[in-house]
Amino acid sequence: MRIFIAGAAGAIGSHLVPQLVARGHEVTGTTRSADRTGAVRALGAEPAVVDALDPDSVADAVAKAEPEVVVHQLTALGGPATLRNVRRGVALTNRLRTEGTDHLLAAARAVGVRKFVAQSNALWMERTGGPPAGEDARIEPDPPRDVAGAVAALRHLEAAVTGITWAEGIAIRYGGFYGPGTGLSADPEAVMTRQLRRRRVPVIGGGAGVWSMVHIADAASVTVAAIERGRSGIYHAADDDPAPVGEIMRAMAAAVGAGPPRRVPAWLVGLLGAKGTVDLMTRARGVTTEKTRRELDWAPRYPSWRAALPEGLS
């Protein structure tokens, strides 16, 4: 198939493109910067420089590529982990998940795309206090105020993509990434790796919230399966071992040779205005993948982050 990947040089895209090319697909991959076209071409894709927030730029690139499938992997969450950079990245990511999604959908419809696959997130499943959420669960409707914009952007993306009637519309909720090219990898300059080694990522409260993790290669393989066999709706990309945040973070720190994370009271972080972070650390649910396994005939190469760390980081 001819496949257009928006965000081809990102964490998932850099693993997804080679997997698709190896399976015989013809891939066009976007980048925001002309300086990165060589990196996209090295992955096996034809590069396209696109401003995802400019509808004309998106429409022109999609029309030129004439794809059968469009894949939306756009975020702006990389870079230095400074407060200013994180805030800027979250704000831009929110726009990419709202305006960017709408631009890509319009361009895809104009050229008769038959499948549209987009990146969502498994961290914000509805806080019911129950077990890990299945693919039929919804995004949290009442998140803390400081993350309301980000969660609303996820809801917009999922509703817009799965609501189309002119093609198969698929949203994939990914668990927390680790592995080459992600923030948690063997690269000493990877953001999460560096912060863990500096002991700047504390466990908040008891760290009792539950996270689901996924190795980046498995995240890409779920996406390949969704492109080739998926039907309209939601799929989850996660391993088989959702676990308490505190446990995961202690294992992450050990895997990168860092001391154990510090612990900070939830009430103190809340007073600093980071109630969303408190929520993630204390109330997150994790996800299951029964539908994904059944409909996509998929299973993770790394079924547990426990067994994969630290070897899976490189």
Side-chain angles (χ1 to χ4, degrees):
M1 293 181 286
R2 293 187 306 279
I3 301 171
F4 183 94
I5 301 179
I12 295 180
S14 60
H15 290 263
L16 176 60
V17 171
Q19 289 189 27
L20 289 170
V21 170
R23 296 177 66 82
H25 300 295
E26 180 183 329
V27 180
T28 296
T30 78
T31 176
R32 287 175 288 178
S33 170
D35 294 339
R36 302 198 70 186
T37 55
V40 174
R41 187 173 283 110
L43 295 171
E46 179 64 26
V49 179
V50 176
D51 178 357
L53 298 178
D54 179 347
D56 293 333
S57 176
V58 174
D60 289 347
V62 173
K64 182 178 180 180
E66 298 183 317
E68 298 161 83
V69 180
V70 167
V71 182
H72 177 3
Q73 295 287 353
L74 294 167
T75 70
L77 299 176
T82 63
L83 182 59
R84 182 179 181 183
N85 186 64
V86 169
R87 286 177 173 171
R88 184 188 296 118
V90 169
L92 180 54
T93 297
N94 293 347
R95 293 187 65 195
L96 291 170
R97 287 174 171 162
T98 52
E99 299 169 49
T101 297
D102 293 346
H103 298 337
L104 282 167
L105 284 170
R109 185 173 189 176
V111 300
V113 160
R114 59 188 177 89
K115 186 173 288 188
F116 191 103
V117 180
Q119 177 189 146
S120 187
N121 188 288
L123 285 173
W124 287 105
M125 307 313 302
E126 185 173 13
R127 307 314 200 211
T128 64
E135 288 90 343
D136 60 344
R138 64 177 181 168
I139 297 290
E140 170 58 39
D142 187 28
R145 183 178 299 178
D146 59 315
V147 295
V151 178
L154 290 174
R155 286 198 300 268
H156 175 93
L157 179 146
E158 291 193 3
V161 171
T162 63
I164 61 176
T165 58
W166 41 268
E168 299 280 0
I170 296 169
I172 302 177
R173 294 171 178 160
Y174 297 93
F177 298 145
Y178 67 98
T182 73
L184 181 65
S185 74
D187 179 357
E189 293 305 309
V191 171
M192 188 68 167
T193 299
R194 188 170 65 248
Q195 295 298 91
L196 284 168
R197 286 178 173 171
R198 294 176 179 177
R199 301 188 74 194
R200 292 182 179 175
V201 188
V203 175
I204 297 172
V210 174
W211 285 359
S212 285
M213 305 297 293
V214 63
H215 190 277
I216 195 65
D218 284 332
S221 71
V222 172
T223 312
V224 171
I227 290 168
E228 295 182 343
R229 300 185 292 279
R231 296 178 291 177
S232 291
I234 304 288
Y235 293 103
H236 285 172
D239 69 18
D240 302 333
D241 195 7
V245 176
E247 187 176 344
I248 291 173
M249 289 187 59
R250 287 190 290 272
M252 287 179 176
V256 299
R262 296 183 173 90
R263 295 185 64 173
V264 177
W267 63 265
L268 178 59
V269 180
L271 284 178
L272 296 174
K275 292 184 178 179
T277 303
V278 174
D279 190 284
L280 281 176
M281 289 264 185
T282 61
R283 300 183 67 218
R285 286 178 65 189
V287 297
T288 61
T289 59
E290 283 85 354
K291 174 189 171 185
T292 302
R293 288 170 172 273
R294 181 178 68 252
E295 293 192 6
L296 301 185
D297 189 26
W298 173 85
R301 176 183 174 189
Y302 299 94
S304 172
W305 53 270
R306 299 173 202 269
L309 296 176
E311 288 79 7
L313 298 183
S314 59

